[in-house]
Amino acid sequence: FWLAGRLHSTILRGKKNYHAQLIEQAITETFPDLEKVAALGMADPQWGEAIIIVVNPGQPHVEPDLIKKEMKTKGYPIDRIIFTTAELPVDPRHNAKTDYGKLKRLIQTKKIS
């Protein structure tokens, strides 16, 4: 039995479920120098939802293609990576958990792109 996060953060890409927290964990374990990572699903005509990764990169910079390649070997097909220096929104109650709804809105309104 494995708890993999909340239902609202589950990404349905094609006919397969992906859990945002497991993707985030795989990325931070593979690239520990990244400051902050968030994974979320965004509407996509081909997949239903595309897997989008938002990264506060830190130092040193990691190439997006390397992240995609490494995650593909772990079973996570990443569709898009957004690097930003903007602070990623967090749930105000915990000040640690990613606020996925707010992050989606920031991407949709191009405040993070």
Side-chain angles (χ1 to χ4, degrees), residues 22-23 25-32 34 53 62-78 81:
L22 297 180
I23 297 170
Q25 180 181 359
I27 292 172
T28 56
E29 286 174 355
T30 306
F31 303 99
L34 296 176
I53 305 300
V62 178
E63 290 298 319
D65 288 340
L66 180 58
I67 296 172
K68 286 182 179 183
K69 179 182 173 188
E70 289 295 319
M71 291 306 101
K72 188 174 182 180
T73 67
K74 297 177 186 291
Y76 300 118
I78 307 303
I81 298 176

Side-chain angles (χ1 to χ4, degrees), residues 94-111:
H94 305 100
N95 204 30
K97 295 179 181 181
T98 301
D99 186 331
Y100 295 102
K102 192 172 200 177
L103 183 55
K104 280 183 185 184
R105 288 187 297 278
L106 290 171
I107 293 169
Q108 290 167 337
T109 59
K110 304 210 184 310
K111 292 181 180 169

Side-chain angles (χ1 to χ4, degrees), residues 10-18 46-49 51 77:
T10 301
I11 303 163
L12 180 58
R13 184 183 187 272
K15 295 183 180 183
K16 187 169 180 184
N17 286 323
Y18 294 91
Q46 180 180 0
W47 298 109
E49 285 187 302
I51 299 175

